[in-house]
Amino acid sequence: MFIDRFGTIEIVSVPVRSVAYEGSGTGGWLTVNDVHLSLDDLNPKIALSIGSTKDNQFAVASGGKIFALGLLVSTTENGGDYLAVVPQAGDEAFLMTRRSPLGWPTPFDFNFMTGHSPSWKRHIYYELRWKKPSGATLDMVWRYEQNFYGQQLVLGTGWDSGFSVHEGSTGLIQLEIRP
């Protein structure tokens, strides 16, 4: 994490097509495009609320500041209720995926259930950046651990697509709203 403070490597940056929220207002899942990002594993310093404003806007609130993403759309999928929004004309909304420039070896990790353990790990970052024509911005950053499996017959090789969450070090790590 120390090296990541100086810079990370951008993998991809895509425009936001939609954002959906499933939760109780302080936890749950935020789905940006097709990427599911947990709001249950928050940095303890982040006070987060998600819901709607009095004028029916999908909003994120933290530290006494509110960022309205756009007009709220209620949807029902798979028997659950979701809040959803799409970027409004003039909004600049992007989801960026970055990774650590360095991984770290994990020689002492061992999985007693399968016998297969990652030989390396690195951090993956997701950043949601949303800018309104007024200049107001929302910046949310999630950090997860990604595992690398070397020459193993059962699991294959390479960096896996699943991500690990560890309390206090992964999940939503940064939230900034600027007027």
Side-chain angles (χ1 to χ4, degrees):
M1 287 189 295
F2 177 75
I3 302 261
D4 294 353
R5 292 180 191 177
F6 299 102
T8 55
I9 298 169
E10 186 172 313
I11 299 170
V12 68
S13 178
V14 296
V16 172
R17 297 181 316 274
S18 66
V19 175
Y21 172 69
E22 179 184 4
S24 61
T26 57
W29 289 92
L30 196 64
T31 302
V32 181
N33 297 341
D34 294 325
V35 179
H36 302 289
L37 302 165
S38 175
L39 297 172
D40 292 329
D41 301 300
L42 297 176
N43 179 323
K45 297 177 185 176
I46 297 175
L48 170 73
S49 293
I50 295 182
S52 60
T53 65
K54 61 185 174 188
D55 55 347
N56 207 33
Q57 298 271 326
F58 184 106
V60 175
S62 180
K65 297 177 184 176
I66 298 173
F67 186 88
L69 282 76
L71 288 174
L72 184 65
V73 177
S74 285
T75 61
T76 303
E77 292 181 19
N78 301 328
D81 290 328
Y82 297 84
L83 301 177
V85 66
V86 295
Q88 297 175 318
D91 287 2
E92 297 175 20
F94 292 92
L95 180 65
M96 291 167 278
T97 306
R98 301 185 325 262
R99 68 170 179 82
S100 297
L102 295 175
W104 61 93
T106 56
F108 302 111
D109 276 8
F110 188 76
N111 184 330
F112 290 101
M113 296 291 284
T114 65
H116 302 287
S117 300
S119 54
W120 288 80
K121 292 185 178 186
R122 67 181 177 193
H123 284 122
I124 290 289
Y125 296 87
Y126 290 100
E127 182 174 2
L128 173 62
R129 261 193 206 160
W130 200 299
K131 184 176 180 181
K132 294 287 192 178
S134 67
T137 60
L138 170 69
D139 195 26
M140 299 175 80
V141 179
W142 287 262
R143 177 177 52 223
Y144 296 102
E145 281 185 1
Q146 185 180 30
N147 299 318
F148 180 84
Y149 293 93
Q151 300 293 330
Q152 297 178 2
L153 297 176
V154 177
L155 295 175
T157 61
W159 292 101
D160 68 1
S161 59
F163 301 108
S164 304
V165 176
H166 299 285
E167 187 174 337
S169 68
T170 57
L172 182 64
I173 59 167
Q174 182 181 340
L175 171 63
E176 189 173 354
I177 298 172
R178 290 185 297 272

